[in-house]
């Protein structure tokens, strides 16, 4: 057995095989575009979030509660306004470098560190906003893209397969976060059922949970009052959303399910926004990129595609 064969991914039965996909030009080119669009989206966030993240650079004593998370444990060594300037600059510089030079590992490392620092400082100084949380590990996973991934025609089949494994790892991590949320809801439901309290699978759950959320945000949503008045009609969608989250990880091992599962997760987020005012726009974009427009759209074929332009590129 050759050294290259020994270095291949172990033939574990529960892992999908990506060898055929690595030989499919359409899948590889789609993955290349996916990485590029991801970094341009990150650049958009690095600029667009400046308006949303409003902290004056004047003295902030008494205006914000700052409880630094570990990525920004260094902030107390400088003033908070100075830390804001450093983190904003790092986030913008990293996103800009990775958007224009995604093939350079140093640029991807800078983008991942900048995003981590931004999310850490944003959460430490302002509020618990988890909209960009999943983008952080995805950015770190993309650091491990193999050299030459942007020139797939010039690298070996094994290198293209390694490239697709990194993309699959990003997909799997996105999906496992939803499964973890579903497990948390299932655990909470079991505790609620044991104690005789309201839980997410109870028929009256939509009315109770939506009403509590609307009281918390202090405003009505387009479908919130309707769901409160018609809990039995809203309940099947409520349960379906929880079960969709719970079993999301299955789509990582059934590659042809990913597009359909991505549509379901986006509809789940749309429903949550229309009823409870909970928006996860960054997560929706991540799902659209890695699941709806991912490289594993149909059974791989050894025959080269007649039109190598991927669906993601045509949409962009």
């Amino acid at each position: 057995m050759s050294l290259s064969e020994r270095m291949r991914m172990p033939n574990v039965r529960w892992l999908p095989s990506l060898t055929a996909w690595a030989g499919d030009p359409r899948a590889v080119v789609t993955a290349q575009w996916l990485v590029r669009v991801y970094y341009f989206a990150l650049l958009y966030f690095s600029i667009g979030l400046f308006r949303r993240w409003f902290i004056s650079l004047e003295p902030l004593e008494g205006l914000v509660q700052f409880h630094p998370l570990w990525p920004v444990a260094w902030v107390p060594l400088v003033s908070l306004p100075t830390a804001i300037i450093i983190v904003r600059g790092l986030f913008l510089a990293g996103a800009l470098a990775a958007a224009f030079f995604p093939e350079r590992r140093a640029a991807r490392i800078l983008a991942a560190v900048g995003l981590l620092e931004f999310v850490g400082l944003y959460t430490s100084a302002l509020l618990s906003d988890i909209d960009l949380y999943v983008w952080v590990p995805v950015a770190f996973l993309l650091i491990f893209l193999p050299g030459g991934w942007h020139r797939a025609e010039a690298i070996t089949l094994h290198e293209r397969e390694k490239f697709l494994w990194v993309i699959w790892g990003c997909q799997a991590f996105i999906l496992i976060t939803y499964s973890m949320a579903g497990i948390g809801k299932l655990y909470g439901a079991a505790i609620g059922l044991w104690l005789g309290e309201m839980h997410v699978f109870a028929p009256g759950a939509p009315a109770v949970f939506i009403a509590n959320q609307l009281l918390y945000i202090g405003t009505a949503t387009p479908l919130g009052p309707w769901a409160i008045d018609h809990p039995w009609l809203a309940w099947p969608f409520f349960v379906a959303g929880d079960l969709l989250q719970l079993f999301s990880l299955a789509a990582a091992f059934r590659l042809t399910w990913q597009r359909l599962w991505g549509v379901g997760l986006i509809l789940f987020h749309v429903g949550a926004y229309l009823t409870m005012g909970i928006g996860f726009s960054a997560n929706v974009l991540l799902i659209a990129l890695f699941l709806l427009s991912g490289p594993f759209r149909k059974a791989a074929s050894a025959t080269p595609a007649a039109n190598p332009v991927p669906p993601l590129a045509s949409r962009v």
Side-chain angles (χ1 to χ4, degrees), residues 124-292:
S124 300
L126 292 180
L127 47 87
S128 180
D129 187 344
I130 62 175
D131 206 17
L132 281 174
Y133 276 15
V134 183
W135 284 69
V136 175
V138 169
F140 273 92
L141 285 173
L142 290 177
I143 291 174
F144 299 98
L145 289 174
W149 64 268
H150 60 295
R151 296 180 293 103
E153 68 284 352
I155 60 177
T156 65
L157 180 67
H158 178 49
E159 291 296 317
R160 293 198 295 271
E161 186 176 355
K162 288 168 60 178
F163 171 42
L164 292 180
W165 272 117
V166 175
I167 302 300
W168 180 85
C170 295
Q171 294 175 328
F173 191 91
I174 294 168
L175 290 165
I176 200 172
T177 59
Y178 284 95
S179 288
M180 291 170 64
I183 292 171
K185 292 180 178 180
L186 184 65
Y187 175 76
I191 297 298
L193 185 63
W194 177 264
L195 298 177
E197 299 174 350
M198 179 60 65
H199 55 86
V200 293
F201 294 108
V208 173
F209 286 99
I210 293 173
N212 287 337
Q213 176 65 15
L214 296 187
L215 288 174
Y216 175 74
I217 63 176
T219 185
T221 55
L223 295 181
W226 176 88
I228 293 172
D229 293 336
H230 305 84
W232 281 96
L233 293 177
W235 179 70
F237 298 98
F238 213 69
V239 173
D242 293 336
L243 294 178
L244 183 72
Q245 286 183 289
L246 180 62
F247 295 105
S248 287
L249 187 57
F253 303 97
R254 291 288 183 264
L255 301 182
T256 54
W257 293 5
Q258 291 182 356
R259 195 178 182 194
L260 180 61
W261 218 278
V263 171
L265 290 174
I266 289 176
L267 291 177
F268 163 76
H269 282 303
V270 171
Y273 180 75
L274 293 177
T275 56
M276 306 179 75
I278 301 174
F280 282 88
S281 56
N283 265 36
V284 169
L285 178 57
L286 205 59
I287 293 168
L289 280 176
F290 282 89
L291 299 183
L292 262 66

Side-chain angles (χ1 to χ4, degrees), residues 11-150:
N11 186 21
V12 182
R13 290 187 177 182
W14 49 268
L15 282 176
S17 174
L18 302 185
T19 304
W21 297 99
D24 185 347
R26 179 182 291 268
V28 176
V29 175
T30 297
Q32 291 173 321
W33 275 94
L34 189 157
V35 174
R36 293 187 174 98
V37 173
Y38 171 86
Y39 283 116
F40 271 104
L42 200 62
L43 177 61
Y44 169 81
F45 284 130
S46 71
I47 298 172
L49 285 174
F50 277 14
R51 289 185 306 142
R52 175 180 171 189
W53 186 20
F54 179 77
I55 292 183
S56 171
L57 295 182
E58 298 174 357
L60 297 170
E61 287 77 12
L63 297 181
V64 295
Q65 294 287 332
F66 185 72
H67 304 286
L69 300 175
W70 67 265
V72 289
W74 56 268
V75 170
L77 300 177
V78 299
S79 66
L80 185 54
T82 301
I84 292 170
I85 295 174
I86 293 173
V87 171
R88 283 182 169 181
L90 181 62
F91 185 24
L92 180 59
L96 189 64
F100 288 97
F101 305 102
E103 70 280 2
R104 298 185 181 275
R105 194 181 305 273
R108 301 198 301 273
I109 292 174
L110 186 62
V113 173
L115 177 59
L116 176 65
E117 291 297 299
F118 175 81
V119 173
L121 186 60
Y122 183 87
T123 306
S124 300
L126 292 180
L127 47 87
S128 180
D129 187 344
I130 62 175
D131 206 17
L132 281 174
Y133 276 15
V134 183
W135 284 69
V136 175
V138 169
F140 273 92
L141 285 173
L142 290 177
I143 291 174
F144 299 98
L145 289 174
W149 64 268
H150 60 295

